[in-house]
Amino acid sequence: MTESLQLNDDCAAMLHGDRGPALQFAMQLVKRAADVMGACELVSVTFAHIDACFYAGRAHVDFARFMLEAGARFEIPAWTNNGLVSLADENIRDPKTEMARGAKELMQLYAELGCRTVWTCAPYQLPGGPGFGDHIVVGESNAVSFYNAAVGARTNKYGDYLDVACGLTGYAPLCGLHTDEGRRAQVLFDTSAVPDSLKRQDIYFHLLGTVIGQHAGKQVPAIDELDPDVGEDALKAISAAAAAAGGVEHWHGIGRTPEAPDRDTAFAGLHPARTIAVTLDTLAAARRNLTSAADGPVEMVALGTPHFSFTEFAELVPMLHGRQINPATKLYISTSRHVRDLAAQKGWIDALEQAGAEIIVDTCTYFSPAVRGCAGRVMTNAAKWAWYAPGMLGVEVCFGSLKECAETAVKGEAWRDRTVWRGLA
Amino acid sequence: MAELQARVLYPGTAEGPALWLDEPLSFWGGFDPATGIIVDNNHPQNGICIKGTILILPATRGSGGTPGGVAEAIRLGTGPKAIIMATADANVMVGAAVAEKLYGLTCPVLEISQSAFTSLQYAENISLTPDGQISFKP
Protein backbone atom coordinates (compact mmCIF):
# COMPACT_ATOMS: atom_id res chain seq x y z
CA MET A 1 0.00 0.00 0.00
CA THR A 2 2.74 2.41 1.03
CA GLU A 3 4.75 1.76 -2.13
CA SER A 4 1.84 2.66 -4.40
CA LEU A 5 1.39 6.24 -3.12
CA GLN A 6 2.83 8.71 -5.60
CA LEU A 7 4.19 11.97 -4.20
CA ASN A 8 5.04 14.98 -6.35
CA ASP A 9 8.24 16.97 -5.74
CA ASP A 10 6.45 19.49 -3.53
CA CYS A 11 5.09 16.79 -1.21
CA ALA A 12 8.35 14.83 -1.24
CA ALA A 13 10.22 17.98 -0.19
CA MET A 14 7.83 18.53 2.70
CA LEU A 15 8.18 14.90 3.77
CA HIS A 16 11.95 15.21 3.61
CA GLY A 17 11.86 18.19 5.97
CA ASP A 18 12.94 20.82 3.43
CA ARG A 19 10.15 23.14 4.57
CA GLY A 20 10.59 22.71 8.29
CA PRO A 21 9.52 20.28 11.00
CA ALA A 22 5.86 21.38 11.09
CA LEU A 23 5.18 20.68 7.42
CA GLN A 24 7.27 17.52 7.66
CA PHE A 25 5.06 16.14 10.42
CA ALA A 26 1.90 17.39 8.67
CA MET A 27 2.93 15.60 5.46
CA GLN A 28 3.72 12.44 7.43
CA LEU A 29 0.15 12.50 8.75
CA VAL A 30 -1.33 13.12 5.28
CA LYS A 31 0.77 10.34 3.76
CA ARG A 32 -0.08 7.83 6.51
CA ALA A 33 -3.76 8.73 6.15
CA ALA A 34 -3.53 8.18 2.39
CA ASP A 35 -2.03 4.75 3.05
CA VAL A 36 -4.79 3.83 5.50
CA MET A 37 -7.50 5.09 3.14
CA GLY A 38 -5.97 3.34 0.12
CA ALA A 39 -5.36 6.51 -1.90
CA CYS A 40 -2.69 6.25 -4.61
CA GLU A 41 -2.06 9.98 -4.86
CA LEU A 42 -2.69 13.27 -3.12
CA VAL A 43 -4.80 16.11 -4.48
CA SER A 44 -4.22 19.86 -4.03
CA VAL A 45 -6.80 21.50 -1.80
CA THR A 46 -7.74 25.19 -1.94
CA PHE A 47 -9.74 25.73 1.25
CA ALA A 48 -9.98 24.29 4.74
CA HIS A 49 -12.58 24.53 7.49
CA ILE A 50 -10.71 23.71 10.69
CA ASP A 51 -12.47 21.68 13.37
CA ALA A 52 -9.44 21.09 15.64
CA CYS A 53 -9.94 24.60 17.12
CA PHE A 54 -12.80 23.15 19.15
CA TYR A 55 -11.28 22.28 22.53
CA ALA A 56 -11.38 18.59 23.41
CA GLY A 57 -8.52 18.33 25.87
CA ARG A 58 -4.93 19.44 26.39
CA ALA A 59 -3.61 17.43 23.43
CA HIS A 60 -5.47 19.82 21.10
CA VAL A 61 -3.63 22.80 22.59
CA ASP A 62 -0.26 21.01 22.55
CA PHE A 63 -0.72 20.05 18.89
CA ALA A 64 -1.56 23.60 17.80
CA ARG A 65 1.30 25.04 19.84
CA PHE A 66 3.75 22.51 18.37
CA MET A 67 2.70 23.50 14.85
CA LEU A 68 2.91 27.22 15.62
CA GLU A 69 6.30 27.03 17.29
CA ALA A 70 7.65 24.78 14.52
CA GLY A 71 6.84 27.60 12.11
CA ALA A 72 3.63 26.45 10.42
CA ARG A 73 1.22 28.95 8.86
CA PHE A 74 -1.82 28.28 6.67
CA GLU A 75 -1.17 29.27 3.07
CA ILE A 76 -4.63 28.37 1.78
CA PRO A 77 -7.78 30.01 3.23
CA ALA A 78 -8.47 28.19 6.50
CA TRP A 79 -11.64 29.20 8.33
CA THR A 80 -12.40 28.21 11.90
CA ASN A 81 -15.33 26.15 13.12
CA ASN A 82 -17.09 27.07 16.38
CA GLY A 83 -15.03 27.30 19.51
CA LEU A 84 -16.07 25.80 22.81
CA VAL A 85 -16.50 29.31 24.23
CA SER A 86 -17.46 32.69 22.84
CA LEU A 87 -14.61 35.16 22.64
CA ALA A 88 -17.18 37.94 22.36
CA ASP A 89 -18.54 37.70 25.86
CA GLU A 90 -16.31 37.49 28.90
CA ASN A 91 -19.27 36.75 31.14
CA ILE A 92 -20.79 33.90 29.23
CA ARG A 93 -18.68 31.29 30.98
CA ASP A 94 -16.41 31.12 33.97
CA PRO A 95 -12.97 32.00 32.55
CA LYS A 96 -11.24 30.33 35.48
CA THR A 97 -12.11 26.74 34.61
CA GLU A 98 -9.39 24.74 32.91
CA MET A 99 -11.70 23.97 30.02
CA ALA A 100 -12.56 27.62 29.35
CA ARG A 101 -8.91 28.63 29.66
CA GLY A 102 -7.81 25.85 27.32
CA ALA A 103 -10.56 26.65 24.84
CA LYS A 104 -9.56 30.33 24.63
CA GLU A 105 -5.88 29.47 24.36
CA LEU A 106 -6.65 27.05 21.54
CA MET A 107 -8.74 29.60 19.63
CA GLN A 108 -5.91 32.13 19.97
CA LEU A 109 -3.39 29.60 18.62
CA TYR A 110 -5.43 28.98 15.48
CA ALA A 111 -5.67 32.73 14.91
CA GLU A 112 -1.85 32.89 15.13
CA LEU A 113 -1.54 29.95 12.73
CA GLY A 114 -3.19 32.19 10.14
CA CYS A 115 -6.78 31.02 10.22
CA ARG A 116 -9.57 33.40 9.30
CA THR A 117 -11.41 33.38 12.61
CA VAL A 118 -15.01 33.13 11.48
CA TRP A 119 -15.90 30.73 14.36
CA THR A 120 -18.86 29.19 12.62
CA CYS A 121 -20.21 25.74 11.84
CA ALA A 122 -21.98 27.26 8.80
CA PRO A 123 -19.03 28.81 6.91
CA TYR A 124 -21.03 28.46 3.68
CA GLN A 125 -23.18 31.40 4.83
CA LEU A 126 -20.18 33.72 4.42
CA PRO A 127 -19.02 35.14 1.08
CA GLY A 128 -15.70 34.14 -0.44
CA GLY A 129 -15.80 30.41 0.24
CA PRO A 130 -15.14 27.49 -2.11
CA GLY A 131 -17.12 26.76 -5.27
CA PHE A 132 -18.23 23.94 -7.52
CA GLY A 133 -15.57 21.33 -8.19
CA ASP A 134 -13.05 22.73 -5.69
CA HIS A 135 -11.17 20.15 -3.62
CA ILE A 136 -11.41 21.23 0.03
CA VAL A 137 -10.85 19.92 3.55
CA VAL A 138 -13.73 20.03 6.03
CA GLY A 139 -14.31 18.31 9.36
CA GLU A 140 -17.59 19.58 10.80
CA SER A 141 -20.24 17.08 9.74
CA ASN A 142 -22.96 19.47 8.54
CA ALA A 143 -20.44 21.55 6.62
CA VAL A 144 -19.00 18.43 4.95
CA SER A 145 -22.51 17.47 3.84
CA PHE A 146 -23.48 21.00 2.73
CA TYR A 147 -20.29 21.76 0.80
CA ASN A 148 -20.48 18.43 -1.03
CA ALA A 149 -24.21 18.46 -1.75
CA ALA A 150 -25.25 22.09 -2.05
CA VAL A 151 -22.03 23.68 -3.34
CA GLY A 152 -20.54 20.76 -5.26
CA ALA A 153 -17.14 21.25 -3.64
CA ARG A 154 -15.34 18.00 -2.83
CA THR A 155 -14.35 16.86 0.65
CA ASN A 156 -14.19 13.75 2.76
CA LYS A 157 -14.94 14.10 6.46
CA TYR A 158 -11.58 14.93 8.05
CA GLY A 159 -11.03 14.18 11.71
CA ASP A 160 -9.16 16.49 14.06
CA TYR A 161 -5.44 17.09 13.33
CA LEU A 162 -5.74 15.61 9.83
CA ASP A 163 -7.82 18.68 8.87
CA VAL A 164 -4.95 20.86 10.07
CA ALA A 165 -2.29 18.70 8.40
CA CYS A 166 -4.10 18.82 5.04
CA GLY A 167 -4.77 22.55 5.40
CA LEU A 168 -1.14 23.36 6.22
CA THR A 169 0.36 21.20 3.46
CA GLY A 170 -2.36 22.03 0.93
CA TYR A 171 -2.83 18.35 0.07
CA ALA A 172 -5.32 15.58 0.88
CA PRO A 173 -5.61 11.89 -0.01
CA LEU A 174 -7.35 11.53 -3.40
CA CYS A 175 -10.12 9.07 -2.61
CA GLY A 176 -13.78 8.82 -1.58
CA LEU A 177 -15.74 12.02 -2.15
CA HIS A 178 -12.81 13.66 -3.94
CA THR A 179 -13.47 11.27 -6.87
CA ASP A 180 -16.34 11.10 -9.39
CA GLU A 181 -16.97 7.46 -8.50
CA GLY A 182 -17.28 8.21 -4.80
CA ARG A 183 -19.83 10.98 -5.42
CA ARG A 184 -22.30 9.04 -7.54
CA ALA A 185 -25.78 8.58 -6.04
CA GLN A 186 -26.55 5.00 -5.01
CA VAL A 187 -29.81 4.99 -3.09
CA LEU A 188 -32.98 6.80 -4.15
CA PHE A 189 -35.42 8.36 -1.68
CA ASP A 190 -38.87 8.47 -3.29
CA THR A 191 -40.90 11.35 -1.82
CA SER A 192 -43.89 11.09 -4.18
CA ALA A 193 -46.20 10.03 -1.32
CA VAL A 194 -45.53 13.21 0.67
CA PRO A 195 -48.20 15.93 0.21
CA ASP A 196 -46.99 19.09 -1.51
CA SER A 197 -48.31 21.20 1.37
CA LEU A 198 -45.87 19.48 3.76
CA LYS A 199 -43.00 19.89 1.30
CA ARG A 200 -43.35 23.65 1.70
CA GLN A 201 -42.86 23.58 5.50
CA ASP A 202 -39.42 24.27 7.01
CA ILE A 203 -39.87 21.25 9.28
CA TYR A 204 -40.09 18.88 6.30
CA PHE A 205 -36.41 19.29 5.44
CA HIS A 206 -35.27 18.46 8.97
CA LEU A 207 -37.44 15.33 9.02
CA LEU A 208 -36.42 14.30 5.50
CA GLY A 209 -32.75 14.70 6.40
CA THR A 210 -33.27 12.55 9.48
CA VAL A 211 -34.99 9.81 7.43
CA ILE A 212 -32.14 9.90 4.90
CA GLY A 213 -29.55 9.62 7.66
CA GLN A 214 -31.36 6.68 9.20
CA HIS A 215 -31.69 4.71 5.95
CA ALA A 216 -28.79 5.65 3.64
CA GLY A 217 -26.15 3.58 5.44
CA LYS A 218 -22.80 4.08 3.72
CA GLN A 219 -24.40 4.77 0.33
CA VAL A 220 -24.71 8.22 -1.25
CA PRO A 221 -28.41 9.17 -1.15
CA ALA A 222 -30.46 11.10 -3.70
CA ILE A 223 -33.84 12.74 -3.09
CA ASP A 224 -35.98 11.99 -6.15
CA GLU A 225 -37.26 15.53 -6.48
CA LEU A 226 -36.31 18.78 -4.81
CA ASP A 227 -37.91 22.01 -5.98
CA PRO A 228 -35.42 24.38 -7.68
CA ASP A 229 -36.75 27.15 -5.42
CA VAL A 230 -35.83 25.32 -2.21
CA GLY A 231 -33.58 27.74 -0.32
CA GLU A 232 -30.20 27.41 1.33
CA ASP A 233 -31.73 27.04 4.81
CA ALA A 234 -33.55 23.91 3.68
CA LEU A 235 -30.35 22.49 2.21
CA LYS A 236 -28.64 23.26 5.52
CA ALA A 237 -31.42 21.45 7.39
CA ILE A 238 -31.16 18.32 5.21
CA SER A 239 -27.35 18.33 5.41
CA ALA A 240 -27.21 18.70 9.19
CA ALA A 241 -29.99 16.21 9.94
CA ALA A 242 -28.66 13.52 7.57
CA ALA A 243 -25.14 13.93 8.96
CA ALA A 244 -26.33 13.74 12.58
CA ALA A 245 -28.72 10.82 12.13
CA GLY A 246 -26.49 8.68 9.94
CA GLY A 247 -23.14 10.20 9.09
CA VAL A 248 -24.19 11.21 5.56
CA GLU A 249 -21.31 13.14 3.97
CA HIS A 250 -22.79 13.78 0.51
CA TRP A 251 -26.26 13.71 -0.98
CA HIS A 252 -28.12 14.80 -4.09
CA GLY A 253 -31.42 16.67 -4.41
CA ILE A 254 -32.51 15.94 -7.96
CA GLY A 255 -33.52 19.15 -9.70
CA ARG A 256 -31.88 21.33 -7.06
CA THR A 257 -28.28 20.43 -6.14
CA PRO A 258 -25.50 21.12 -8.65
CA GLU A 259 -24.45 17.55 -9.45
CA ALA A 260 -28.03 16.36 -9.87
CA PRO A 261 -29.84 18.26 -12.65
CA ASP A 262 -31.65 14.96 -13.34
CA ARG A 263 -31.69 11.39 -12.05
CA ASP A 264 -29.40 10.00 -14.74
CA THR A 265 -26.68 12.52 -13.98
CA ALA A 266 -26.92 11.96 -10.23
CA PHE A 267 -26.68 8.17 -10.64
CA ALA A 268 -24.12 8.41 -13.50
CA GLY A 269 -26.51 6.48 -15.73
CA LEU A 270 -26.80 3.51 -13.36
CA HIS A 271 -29.84 2.22 -11.53
CA PRO A 272 -30.28 2.96 -7.82
CA ALA A 273 -29.05 0.07 -5.68
CA ARG A 274 -32.10 0.62 -3.48
CA THR A 275 -35.20 2.79 -3.45
CA ILE A 276 -36.66 3.91 -0.14
CA ALA A 277 -40.20 5.26 0.05
CA VAL A 278 -40.54 8.37 2.21
CA THR A 279 -44.09 8.42 3.58
CA LEU A 280 -46.02 10.28 6.24
CA ASP A 281 -45.31 7.26 8.46
CA THR A 282 -41.54 7.42 8.06
CA LEU A 283 -41.58 11.20 8.61
CA ALA A 284 -43.74 10.75 11.71
CA ALA A 285 -41.29 8.14 13.02
CA ALA A 286 -38.43 10.62 12.47
CA ARG A 287 -40.41 13.22 14.36
CA ARG A 288 -40.78 10.80 17.29
CA ASN A 289 -37.03 10.11 17.19
CA LEU A 290 -36.40 13.85 17.56
CA THR A 291 -38.82 14.30 20.43
CA SER A 292 -38.14 12.93 23.89
CA ALA A 293 -40.58 15.11 25.83
CA ALA A 294 -44.33 15.45 25.83
CA ASP A 295 -45.57 18.99 25.25
CA GLY A 296 -45.69 21.17 28.35
CA PRO A 297 -43.83 24.09 29.98
CA VAL A 298 -40.59 24.89 28.15
CA GLU A 299 -37.51 26.14 29.96
CA MET A 300 -35.52 27.02 26.88
CA VAL A 301 -35.85 27.46 23.13
CA ALA A 302 -32.62 26.85 21.15
CA LEU A 303 -32.27 28.13 17.58
CA GLY A 304 -29.26 28.14 15.28
CA THR A 305 -27.82 24.63 14.97
CA PRO A 306 -26.12 24.93 12.53
CA HIS A 307 -25.73 28.68 12.90
CA PHE A 308 -28.78 30.83 12.24
CA SER A 309 -28.71 32.46 8.80
CA PHE A 310 -29.64 35.97 7.67
CA THR A 311 -32.80 34.63 6.03
CA GLU A 312 -33.78 32.77 9.20
CA PHE A 313 -33.42 36.03 11.16
CA ALA A 314 -35.61 37.67 8.51
CA GLU A 315 -38.32 35.08 9.18
CA LEU A 316 -38.05 35.13 12.96
CA VAL A 317 -38.05 38.90 13.57
CA PRO A 318 -41.66 39.55 12.41
CA MET A 319 -42.86 36.56 14.48
CA LEU A 320 -41.62 38.28 17.65
CA HIS A 321 -42.36 41.89 16.65
CA GLY A 322 -43.70 43.86 19.61
CA ARG A 323 -43.85 40.77 21.83
CA GLN A 324 -41.95 39.58 24.90
CA ILE A 325 -40.37 36.21 25.62
CA ASN A 326 -42.04 34.55 28.59
CA PRO A 327 -40.04 35.31 31.78
CA ALA A 328 -39.89 31.58 32.60
CA THR A 329 -38.41 30.71 29.21
CA LYS A 330 -35.08 31.57 27.60
CA LEU A 331 -34.66 32.02 23.86
CA TYR A 332 -31.10 31.48 22.61
CA ILE A 333 -30.03 32.00 19.01
CA SER A 334 -26.51 30.96 17.99
CA THR A 335 -24.98 32.46 14.88
CA SER A 336 -21.74 33.75 13.42
CA ARG A 337 -20.40 37.25 13.99
CA HIS A 338 -20.74 37.86 10.26
CA VAL A 339 -24.46 37.08 10.17
CA ARG A 340 -25.08 38.82 13.49
CA ASP A 341 -23.52 42.01 12.12
CA LEU A 342 -25.65 41.85 8.97
CA ALA A 343 -28.76 41.35 11.10
CA ALA A 344 -27.70 44.17 13.41
CA GLN A 345 -27.51 46.57 10.45
CA LYS A 346 -31.19 45.84 9.86
CA GLY A 347 -31.99 46.57 13.50
CA TRP A 348 -32.99 42.94 14.04
CA ILE A 349 -30.56 42.16 16.84
CA ASP A 350 -31.80 45.12 18.90
CA ALA A 351 -35.38 44.08 18.27
CA LEU A 352 -34.76 40.49 19.31
CA GLU A 353 -32.83 41.48 22.41
CA GLN A 354 -35.61 43.86 23.41
CA ALA A 355 -38.03 40.96 23.09
CA GLY A 356 -35.80 39.04 25.52
CA ALA A 357 -33.80 36.80 23.17
CA GLU A 358 -30.09 36.21 23.68
CA ILE A 359 -27.79 36.05 20.66
CA ILE A 360 -24.70 33.82 21.03
CA VAL A 361 -21.72 34.03 18.64
CA ASP A 362 -18.51 31.99 18.10
CA THR A 363 -19.97 28.87 19.69
CA CYS A 364 -23.13 26.79 19.89
CA THR A 365 -26.11 26.97 22.25
CA TYR A 366 -25.17 23.38 22.94
CA PHE A 367 -22.20 24.44 25.02
CA SER A 368 -23.65 27.51 26.72
CA PRO A 369 -23.81 27.43 30.52
CA ALA A 370 -27.56 27.94 30.29
CA VAL A 371 -27.94 24.63 28.51
CA ARG A 372 -25.70 22.87 30.98
CA GLY A 373 -27.78 24.20 33.84
CA CYS A 374 -31.06 23.38 32.14
CA ALA A 375 -32.82 20.40 33.65
CA GLY A 376 -36.15 20.78 31.94
CA ARG A 377 -37.72 20.79 28.52
CA VAL A 378 -36.08 22.42 25.50
CA MET A 379 -37.71 23.19 22.17
CA THR A 380 -35.58 23.43 19.04
CA ASN A 381 -36.23 23.58 15.31
CA ALA A 382 -32.90 21.86 14.60
CA ALA A 383 -32.87 18.13 13.99
CA LYS A 384 -29.16 18.01 14.78
CA TRP A 385 -29.71 19.58 18.21
CA ALA A 386 -32.66 17.33 18.94
CA TRP A 387 -30.81 14.21 17.83
CA TYR A 388 -27.85 14.61 20.18
CA ALA A 389 -29.25 16.52 23.18
CA PRO A 390 -31.02 13.82 25.22
CA GLY A 391 -27.90 11.62 25.24
CA MET A 392 -25.21 14.27 25.45
CA LEU A 393 -26.88 16.95 27.59
CA GLY A 394 -29.49 15.01 29.49
CA VAL A 395 -32.27 17.47 28.62
CA GLU A 396 -35.70 16.60 27.26
CA VAL A 397 -36.38 17.85 23.75
CA CYS A 398 -39.48 18.75 21.84
CA PHE A 399 -38.93 19.38 18.19
CA GLY A 400 -40.84 22.14 16.41
CA SER A 401 -40.96 24.46 13.42
CA LEU A 402 -39.46 27.94 13.58
CA LYS A 403 -42.93 29.39 14.11
CA GLU A 404 -43.65 26.90 16.90
CA CYS A 405 -40.35 27.81 18.55
CA ALA A 406 -41.18 31.54 18.42
CA GLU A 407 -44.71 31.08 19.79
CA THR A 408 -43.48 28.70 22.45
CA ALA A 409 -40.86 31.22 23.63
CA VAL A 410 -43.61 33.82 24.07
CA LYS A 411 -46.17 31.49 25.68
CA GLY A 412 -43.71 29.61 27.89
CA GLU A 413 -45.12 26.24 26.93
CA ALA A 414 -45.03 24.11 23.84
CA TRP A 415 -47.35 25.54 21.21
CA ARG A 416 -48.29 23.47 18.20
CA ASP A 417 -49.19 24.55 14.69
CA ARG A 418 -51.84 21.96 13.85
CA THR A 419 -51.72 22.72 10.12
CA VAL A 420 -48.09 21.56 9.95
CA TRP A 421 -48.48 18.28 11.75
CA ARG A 422 -51.67 17.03 10.11
CA GLY A 423 -51.00 13.38 9.34
CA LEU A 424 -47.71 13.36 11.23
CA ALA A 425 -48.97 12.92 14.78
CA MET B 1 1.40 -19.63 20.81
CA ALA B 2 -0.54 -18.64 17.73
CA GLU B 3 0.51 -15.93 15.33
CA LEU B 4 -1.32 -13.52 13.06
CA GLN B 5 -0.10 -11.03 10.51
CA ALA B 6 -1.75 -7.61 10.75
CA ARG B 7 -1.58 -4.54 8.53
CA VAL B 8 0.37 -1.81 10.32
CA LEU B 9 -1.48 1.52 10.50
CA TYR B 10 0.94 2.89 13.09
CA PRO B 11 4.03 0.90 14.11
CA GLY B 12 5.27 -0.04 17.55
CA THR B 13 5.92 -2.81 20.03
CA ALA B 14 3.48 -3.74 22.79
CA GLU B 15 2.60 -6.59 25.12
CA GLY B 16 -0.24 -6.87 27.57
CA PRO B 17 -3.62 -8.30 28.55
CA ALA B 18 -6.19 -8.47 25.76
CA LEU B 19 -9.49 -6.59 25.95
CA TRP B 20 -11.87 -7.67 23.19
CA LEU B 21 -14.84 -5.36 22.52
CA ASP B 22 -18.09 -6.73 21.11
CA GLU B 23 -19.17 -3.43 19.54
CA PRO B 24 -17.53 -0.40 17.91
CA LEU B 25 -16.36 2.28 20.33
CA SER B 26 -16.49 6.06 20.04
CA PHE B 27 -13.32 7.57 21.47
CA TRP B 28 -15.09 10.92 21.64
CA GLY B 29 -18.28 10.83 23.65
CA GLY B 30 -18.30 7.10 24.35
CA PHE B 31 -15.03 7.06 26.26
CA ASP B 32 -13.61 9.24 29.03
CA PRO B 33 -9.89 9.99 28.50
CA ALA B 34 -9.62 11.27 32.09
CA THR B 35 -10.28 7.77 33.47
CA GLY B 36 -9.90 5.36 30.55
CA ILE B 37 -13.43 4.09 31.13
CA ILE B 38 -16.05 3.35 28.45
CA VAL B 39 -18.99 5.66 29.18
CA ASP B 40 -21.37 4.77 26.35
CA ASN B 41 -24.63 3.55 27.90
CA ASN B 42 -25.40 1.63 24.73
CA HIS B 43 -22.07 -0.22 24.69
CA PRO B 44 -22.10 -3.79 26.12
CA GLN B 45 -18.79 -3.10 27.89
CA ASN B 46 -19.90 0.22 29.37
CA GLY B 47 -18.00 0.89 32.61
CA ILE B 48 -14.92 -1.15 31.66
CA CYS B 49 -11.48 0.48 31.79
CA ILE B 50 -9.27 0.10 28.69
CA LYS B 51 -6.12 1.42 30.36
CA GLY B 52 -3.02 -0.69 29.79
CA THR B 53 -4.78 -3.25 27.58
CA ILE B 54 -4.20 -4.45 24.06
CA LEU B 55 -7.56 -3.19 22.82
CA ILE B 56 -9.23 -5.28 20.11
CA LEU B 57 -12.35 -3.80 18.56
CA PRO B 58 -14.40 -4.22 15.39
CA ALA B 59 -14.32 -0.51 14.47
CA THR B 60 -14.68 2.97 15.88
CA ARG B 61 -17.94 4.83 15.84
CA GLY B 62 -17.46 7.76 13.53
CA SER B 63 -16.52 11.09 14.94
CA GLY B 64 -14.05 13.75 13.93
CA GLY B 65 -13.20 13.89 17.63
CA THR B 66 -11.63 10.40 17.58
CA PRO B 67 -8.00 11.55 17.14
CA GLY B 68 -8.32 13.93 20.09
CA GLY B 69 -9.80 11.24 22.33
CA VAL B 70 -7.04 8.78 21.41
CA ALA B 71 -4.22 11.32 21.79
CA GLU B 72 -5.57 12.64 25.08
CA ALA B 73 -5.86 9.12 26.56
CA ILE B 74 -2.30 8.28 25.50
CA ARG B 75 -1.08 11.59 26.99
CA LEU B 76 -2.81 10.89 30.31
CA GLY B 77 -1.71 7.25 30.43
CA THR B 78 -5.33 6.09 30.49
CA GLY B 79 -5.25 4.65 26.98
CA PRO B 80 -4.52 1.14 25.73
CA LYS B 81 -0.99 -0.11 25.02
CA ALA B 82 -2.04 -0.93 21.47
CA ILE B 83 -5.18 -0.80 19.33
CA ILE B 84 -6.12 -3.64 16.97
CA MET B 85 -9.13 -3.01 14.71
CA ALA B 86 -11.04 -5.09 12.17
CA THR B 87 -11.69 -1.90 10.15
CA ALA B 88 -8.94 0.48 9.03
CA ASP B 89 -9.38 3.91 10.56
CA ALA B 90 -7.26 6.94 9.75
CA ASN B 91 -8.58 8.81 12.80
CA VAL B 92 -7.15 6.33 15.33
CA MET B 93 -3.83 6.32 13.46
CA VAL B 94 -3.72 10.13 13.52
CA GLY B 95 -4.37 10.18 17.28
CA ALA B 96 -1.54 7.72 17.88
CA ALA B 97 0.86 9.57 15.56
CA VAL B 98 0.16 12.93 17.22
CA ALA B 99 0.61 11.46 20.72
CA GLU B 100 3.99 10.00 19.81
CA LYS B 101 5.13 13.27 18.22
CA LEU B 102 4.03 15.42 21.15
CA TYR B 103 4.68 13.14 24.11
CA GLY B 104 7.03 10.40 22.89
CA LEU B 105 4.48 7.75 23.88
CA THR B 106 3.88 4.96 21.38
CA CYS B 107 0.55 3.21 20.91
CA PRO B 108 0.74 0.95 17.84
CA VAL B 109 -2.40 0.65 15.67
CA LEU B 110 -3.05 -2.47 13.60
CA GLU B 111 -5.73 -3.66 11.22
CA ILE B 112 -6.74 -7.32 11.06
CA SER B 113 -9.28 -9.33 9.07
CA GLN B 114 -12.72 -10.16 10.42
CA SER B 115 -11.71 -13.82 10.91
CA ALA B 116 -8.54 -12.79 12.78
CA PHE B 117 -10.70 -10.51 14.91
CA THR B 118 -12.91 -13.47 15.82
CA SER B 119 -9.89 -15.67 16.60
CA LEU B 120 -8.65 -13.13 19.17
CA GLN B 121 -11.88 -13.20 21.20
CA TYR B 122 -10.53 -15.42 23.95
CA ALA B 123 -6.86 -14.42 23.82
CA GLU B 124 -5.60 -13.48 27.28
CA ASN B 125 -2.21 -12.00 26.60
CA ILE B 126 -1.04 -10.50 23.33
CA SER B 127 2.27 -9.21 22.04
CA LEU B 128 2.92 -7.40 18.80
CA THR B 129 5.92 -6.26 16.77
CA PRO B 130 6.52 -3.14 14.66
CA ASP B 131 6.01 -5.14 11.45
CA GLY B 132 2.56 -6.29 12.54
CA GLN B 133 3.20 -9.80 13.93
CA ILE B 134 0.63 -10.60 16.61
CA SER B 135 1.41 -13.45 19.04
CA PHE B 136 -1.17 -14.82 21.47
CA LYS B 137 -2.19 -17.94 23.35
CA PRO B 138 -5.48 -19.08 21.83
Side-chain angles (χ1 to χ4, degrees), chain A residues 1 21 25 28-29 32-33 35-38 51 54 56-60 62-63 66 98 139 157-162 367 392, chain B residues 7-11 28 33 62-69 71-72 75 88-91 93-95 97-99 101-103:
Chain A
M1 213 43 109
F25 180 51
Q28 285 169 355
L29 285 179
R32 280 193 183 282
D35 289 339
V36 171
M37 296 155 92
D51 196 41
F54 187 90
R58 195 70 213 169
H60 267 43
D62 293 339
F63 174 77
F66 167 82
E98 187 190 338
K157 184 174 185 294
Y158 291 92
D160 289 346
Y161 312 141
L162 188 56
F367 305 101
M392 281 181 70
Chain B
R7 178 181 167 213
V8 179
L9 306 186
Y10 197 76
W28 190 86
S63 165
T66 298
E72 189 70 358
R75 176 182 84 84
D89 185 330
N91 283 327
M93 177 280 292
V94 167
V98 166
K101 185 73 179 176
L102 296 177
Y103 311 115

Side-chain angles (χ1 to χ4, degrees), chain A residues 48-57 59-68 72-74 78-83 87 102-119 159-165 167-168, chain B residues 98 102:
Chain A
H49 183 237
I50 299 298
D51 196 41
C53 58
F54 187 90
Y55 184 82
H60 267 43
V61 178
D62 293 339
F63 174 77
R65 188 168 293 290
F66 167 82
M67 285 297 184
L68 184 70
R73 298 294 182 274
F74 287 102
W79 296 7
T80 49
N81 193 5
N82 291 343
L87 298 177
K104 284 194 173 182
E105 186 184 357
L106 184 63
M107 292 166 82
Q108 185 59 38
L109 286 169
Y110 278 98
E112 290 177 40
L113 280 163
C115 282
R116 183 174 165 209
T117 52
V118 296
W119 308 126
D160 289 346
Y161 312 141
L162 188 56
D163 57 349
V164 176
L168 288 173
Chain B
V98 166
L102 296 177

